[in-house]
Amino acid sequence: MRVLLVEDEAQIRQALVDRLQATGFVVDEAGDGEEGLYYFNEFPYSAAIVDLGLPKLDGIGLIQQVRAQGNKTPILILTARDHWQEKVAGLDAGADDYVAKPFQAEELLARINALVRRAAGHASAKIAFGQIALDLKEQRVWLGAQEVEVTDFEYRLLAYFFQHPDEILSKSLLMDQLYGQDAEADSNTIEVFIRRVRKKIDPDNTLKPIETLRGRGYRFCPQVFEQSS
Amino acid sequence: MRLSIAEFTQSLQFRVLAAASAVMVLFSILAVLVLVKVFAYTVESGVKARLEASLYGVMGVADVMDGALWLPPALPEARFNQLTSGLYAWVQQSLEARGVAETPLVWRSESSLGKALPAVRYLPSGEFSWQSLTLGGEPVWVLSFSSTWSLSADDTGYFQFSLAQAQKPFLDQVATFQRQLILSFGALAVLLCCIQWFLLRRGLRPLPVLARQLVDIEAGTCQEVTGHFPLELQPMVKNLNATLQSERQQRERYRHTLADLAHSLKTPLTIMKNTLNAPVQTQEFSGSPQDDPKLVMLDQVHRMDSIVQYQLKRSVAQSSSTITQRTEILPILDKILGAMEKVYRDRAMHVSLVSRDEGEGVQALMEEADVYEILGNVIDNAFKYGKSKVQVTFVRAPRVFRVQVEDDGAGIPPSQRETVLARGKRLDEQDVAGQGIGLAVVADICRVYDISLDIGASQSLGGALIQVSFSYFQRAV
């Protein structure tokens, strides 16, 4: 999943980028509000982390502009001044959650994951469709009672499918979400991963949960697991 | 303190004096002009009245003889008979009725001999005219009257009698009057300015006294403004002293807060220092969490963060000045509840607001930031520790407006209630993992504003009940 981090303090930004990437997120980073707005307008994100005290365009102004443009990306605000007036102002402007500095990285990650799940309509970390289940917190996949061994990229791909069921996801969108805009991955890589994931979640090739829509992309249809269980 | 001219022109004294002097000068000029005008008019009116009387006298001595108008060479009024007397008379006849556009001179007084008579416009019979003309080079007022005389049984003559009075003696009078008036008013204006300046200096004397006292306060030689001041300045002096006291108290509070902060941080800093300086072999992880250096450091960092947050919030809360803002409670409550529902969306908490109407137009006598801190911390506490329900109730009493926040969580046992409220003060004394400093901050803010904060048990939901009683003002709804 791709997230945007808008934080002007370079050390905090780098530490967060490292931590988010280690957790499996693809991260775009911006050092001021105007750059952040540019990224919001150019790319789709699963979530965004926005510091309130930004140069050029402050955090609340950035969030207001993003929401005014109809962008519904879940936003978590970072605030150095732990005053309720500022926290409420940020949430009122359109943010979805807040974390006060200094923060525990684990808390921030948990809140980001919660926002991503919520945006996909899932109240809990575990998403299940019939006999297949995926735990966003523990990053594990089960088919029935059996855990399915998946690599990091395979998990990320599955997690994105699970959070966007029945949606047509183009190759370029999947590339952006899994690799980021600067990566030079071959688009065939996606095909390779799709093939491997299909084998792992549908070993008999009877259910065919991942549809290929020629020229348009892929669609994950989880109802096949519910019908078969 | 002597002021430069430039500085003096900026003073209140100069402005009032300049304005009053300008008014006085303008008044004097206008008064002189008006009085001179009135005097001149009166003089002229007097001349006119006298000339009118003389005119009738001249007409009285006129007679018709042999079909012509006759007047004696010398008139009873002696001045008509004296050269350069300044009083002149002449009679002209209009031949217009006979088709001749001429007005030959019929008679003239001896005083007018040798002088060029002015051309007086001819009047219809029975009419007067009053004109300012020139006779023999000197300005004169001319009163003329036209009358019809029966010269014979079948002949009528139209004659215009004109009397002229030299203006110079009267104009000299007016000029003298004007000069005397200017001198008198000028002297009066100067005298009034001096009196005004003196009265102004006396009236404004409390201001330099006040300024000197403020200099003394800045120098630290006194703490407040003292002495007796006029009624108009007393409210200002009173408020100035109240503001000075508030500033002094605020400086004290900041000093104490910084001292408390420095003192409170010493303990966790010491622990961290000891942990970092411990010999390598004693840093080996024994398996017990409290021995793990990383956990110890993280714990102390968390503690330091809590201390900094608490002291900062305390210093902000205690910086309330004598000028108290009024803040509407209901809009802030709505925003906080909206924010909490967002943040705790996963918990799907059910929130109810009881007696919402009671809160319409209620303004807490408190800074807006402090209302946010109180309601934010109390409601966040309810959402955090409640299971599924939060209830906010408004209760209006004669002098206080109570906001009750209840949850269906585990509640706060009576034995812990004081600890929770005093937690912020004890952060440097004991390990306080668990509940945060939110309610301690609320308690501090309530103490500053001298309002009550009560913790109890919720009868309806079974969890905690926290009640804040705000002093309030009811806005017209």
Side-chain angles (χ1 to χ4, degrees):
Chain A
M1 278 165 294
R2 195 171 181 184
V3 297
L4 173 64
L5 170 63
V6 190
E7 163 64 66
D8 61 320
E9 175 55 52
Q11 274 189 323
I12 296 178
R13 190 170 71 240
Q14 192 53 54
L16 268 178
V17 166
D18 291 342
R19 200 59 200 267
L20 287 164
Q21 284 176 341
T23 318
F25 287 102
V26 172
V27 185
D28 288 341
E29 49 181 303
D32 61 69
E34 284 180 359
E35 195 183 359
L37 186 63
Y38 165 77
Y39 276 104
F40 264 114
N41 291 338
E42 288 298 310
F43 306 104
Y45 294 101
S46 299
I49 303 167
V50 175
D51 180 35
L52 286 190
L54 293 169
K56 294 189 186 175
L57 176 63
D58 72 0
I60 290 183
L62 169 62
I63 295 168
Q64 283 171 338
Q65 287 199 40
V66 165
R67 292 297 185 234
Q69 288 161 3
N71 190 320
K72 292 187 169 59
T73 305
I75 298 175
L76 173 78
I77 49 178
L78 298 178
T79 167
R81 283 170 289 174
D82 193 21
H83 295 308
W84 275 101
Q85 198 164 6
E86 194 177 73
K87 287 190 286 205
V88 169
L91 291 164
D92 205 34
D96 298 281
D97 201 353
Y98 71 89
V99 166
K101 290 179 187 175
F103 50 83
Q104 300 268 42
E106 287 75 18
E107 185 192 359
L108 184 134
L109 288 169
R111 286 184 185 266
I112 275 288
N113 279 318
L115 282 184
V116 170
R117 275 200 321 270
R118 231 189 273 159
H122 303 292
S124 84
K126 203 163 181 182
I127 308 171
F129 299 107
Q131 57 174 317
I132 193 166
L134 183 141
D135 190 322
L136 289 167
K137 200 171 166 185
E138 295 182 11
Q139 299 190 2
R140 294 160 78 176
V141 182
W142 289 273
L143 194 57
Q146 190 71 31
E147 185 169 351
V148 179
E149 288 290 328
V150 289
T151 65
D152 180 39
F153 274 103
E154 287 169 1
Y155 167 78
R156 284 199 230 167
L157 184 64
L158 259 178
Y160 198 76
F161 274 133
F162 265 67
Q163 291 178 85
H164 297 88
D166 298 313
E167 284 181 39
I168 299 175
L169 306 171
S170 67
K171 249 193 224 175
S172 59
L173 173 69
L174 290 172
M175 293 280 290
D176 280 344
Q177 289 296 321
L178 299 183
Y179 289 101
Q181 56 161 341
D182 295 329
E184 291 177 11
D186 189 350
S187 65
N188 290 331
T189 314
I190 291 291
E191 290 176 10
V192 169
F193 280 116
I194 294 276
R195 198 161 42 243
R196 277 156 57 169
V197 163
R198 273 174 174 153
K199 255 195 191 154
K200 289 189 180 179
I201 65 175
D202 180 27
D204 300 331
N205 199 26
T206 50
L207 298 175
K208 300 187 197 305
I210 300 176
E211 270 186 83
T212 301
L213 301 162
R214 199 164 289 284
R216 287 196 284 162
Y218 301 94
R219 179 162 56 201
F220 177 61
C221 305
Q223 50 271 32
V224 301
F225 291 103
E226 285 159 354
Q227 287 159 10
S228 71
S229 62
Chain B
M1 182 179 77
R2 298 203 73 85
L3 300 170
S4 67
I5 292 175
E7 283 171 340
F8 181 67
T9 56
Q10 296 297 317
S11 69
L12 200 59
Q13 192 172 328
F14 173 77
R15 285 185 211 180
V16 173
L17 204 56
S21 301
V23 167
M24 211 174 314
V25 165
L26 192 65
F27 170 77
S28 300
I29 292 171
L30 286 175
V32 163
L33 288 173
V34 167
L35 286 172
V36 164
K37 197 91 178 160
V38 167
F39 182 70
Y41 176 79
T42 308
V43 161
E44 193 176 320
S45 299
V47 167
K48 187 179 176 187
R50 282 198 295 279
L51 279 180
E52 210 172 307
S54 298
L55 178 74
Y56 291 129
V58 170
M59 286 176 68
V61 300
D63 204 355
V64 174
M65 279 186 183
D66 300 326
L69 187 72
W70 174 90
L71 282 102
L75 292 176
E77 193 167 343
R79 287 177 63 210
F80 283 115
N81 311 320
Q82 296 162 358
L83 282 173
T84 68
S85 67
L87 185 63
Y88 313 100
W90 66 95
V91 182
Q92 289 167 285
Q93 185 180 8
S94 168
L95 299 175
E96 203 170 321
R98 297 178 188 177
V100 178
E102 283 179 12
T103 54
L105 188 68
V106 171
W107 174 90
R108 66 190 293 174
S109 64
E110 285 185 13
S111 58
S112 71
L113 291 173
K115 293 185 188 286
L117 293 174
V120 180
R121 63 183 169 87
Y122 200 77
L123 299 167
S125 180
E127 282 195 18
F128 279 94
S129 83
W130 176 257
Q131 297 170 80
S132 187
L133 299 166
T134 308
L135 191 153
E138 71 173 331
V140 292
W141 285 302
V142 179
L143 178 69
S144 302
F145 177 70
S146 179
S147 60
T148 309
W149 290 72
S150 181
L151 298 176
S152 65
D154 52 2
D155 188 19
T156 308
Y158 299 93
F159 297 93
Q160 184 157 307
F161 290 76
S162 296
L163 267 66
Q165 168 67 60
Q167 292 182 10
K168 189 174 182 309
F170 302 99
L171 292 181
D172 287 347
Q173 271 185 43
V174 170
T176 304
F177 177 72
Q178 184 174 295
R179 250 192 327 273
Q180 285 174 350
L181 213 57
I182 288 172
L183 285 171
S184 306
F185 268 87
L188 199 61
V190 167
L191 180 66
L192 284 173
C193 278
C194 291
I195 292 172
Q196 187 173 268
W197 176 81
F198 173 74
L199 290 174
L200 202 59
R201 270 185 73 87
R202 214 177 138 72
L204 293 178
R205 213 188 318 167
L207 292 180
V209 169
L210 185 60
R212 271 197 300 277
Q213 288 209 22
L214 286 175
V215 169
D216 291 342
I217 289 169
E218 281 174 24
T221 52
C222 69
Q223 299 294 313
E224 60 177 13
V225 176
T226 54
H228 183 72
F229 288 90
L231 208 61
E232 290 82 0
L233 290 181
Q234 281 174 14
M236 189 185 92
V237 167
K238 188 176 159 200
N239 282 332
L240 194 59
N241 281 336
T243 303
L244 288 168
Q245 193 189 10
S246 173
E247 292 299 310
R248 245 192 332 271
Q249 286 170 350
Q250 194 170 323
R251 276 201 303 275
E252 278 302 307
R253 280 194 291 268
Y254 282 147
R255 259 201 293 273
H256 287 146
T257 300
L258 284 173
D260 288 347
L261 181 63
H263 177 77
S264 303
L265 288 176
K266 281 188 190 302
T267 304
L269 281 171
T270 305
I271 295 172
M272 287 168 75
K273 195 175 169 183
N274 289 342
T275 304
L276 287 167
N277 286 340
V280 174
Q281 54 268 29
T282 63
Q283 284 186 12
E284 284 171 8
F285 183 36
S286 68
S288 171
Q290 59 242 43
D291 291 340
D292 181 358
K294 186 179 169 188
L295 287 178
V296 168
M297 296 290 277
L298 278 172
D299 191 41
Q300 296 310 310
V301 164
H302 171 73
R303 191 167 165 184
M304 283 165 67
D305 173 45
S306 296
I307 290 167
V308 167
Q309 275 187 56
Y310 172 71
Q311 294 292 357
L312 277 176
K313 288 195 181 193
R314 230 173 124 232
S315 73
V316 169
Q318 289 176 344
S319 67
S320 304
S321 69
T322 51
I323 302 163
T324 307
Q325 198 182 341
R326 289 178 190 169
T327 306
E328 289 220 12
I329 292 178
L330 195 53
I332 293 178
L333 183 74
D334 284 340
K335 280 189 184 177
I336 290 173
L337 287 175
M340 291 297 100
E341 283 173 346
K342 249 190 195 178
V343 170
Y344 291 96
R345 195 175 298 163
D346 287 347
R347 303 264 305 278
M349 301 288 283
H350 175 71
V351 181
S352 57
L353 182 49
V354 178
S355 307
R356 186 192 165 85
D357 293 345
E358 291 287 331
E360 288 291 342
V362 170
Q363 297 175 330
L365 298 179
M366 190 179 280
E367 300 288 330
E368 188 181 37
D370 294 332
V371 175
Y372 266 101
E373 285 303 308
I374 288 178
L375 294 178
N377 281 304
V378 169
I379 291 171
D380 183 51
N381 199 73
F383 270 81
K384 207 179 283 183
Y385 298 106
K387 281 187 212 150
S388 61
K389 290 184 191 156
V390 171
Q391 180 172 287
V392 180
T393 308
F394 290 150
V395 178
R396 191 195 290 257
R399 289 198 187 168
V400 293
F401 184 79
R402 295 196 178 98
V403 178
Q404 295 172 346
V405 180
E406 300 168 81
D407 62 69
D408 61 348
I412 305 173
S415 56
Q416 285 189 23
R417 287 171 195 171
E418 281 306 312
T419 311
V420 161
L421 294 182
R423 191 170 295 275
K425 287 186 193 166
R426 298 185 188 177
L427 279 169
D428 58 340
E429 293 168 20
Q430 59 189 340
D431 186 5
V432 289
Q435 285 215 1
I437 57 165
L439 290 182
V441 171
V442 173
D444 274 343
I445 297 173
C446 290
R447 215 169 290 129
V448 167
Y449 285 96
D450 196 24
I451 62 175
S452 69
L453 167 69
D454 302 295
I455 298 182
S458 168
Q459 301 297 318
S460 51
L461 299 183
L465 180 149
I466 297 177
Q467 176 177 277
V468 182
S469 304
F470 292 93
S471 303
Y472 77 104
F473 173 81
Q474 175 64 52
R475 172 181 62 79
V477 175

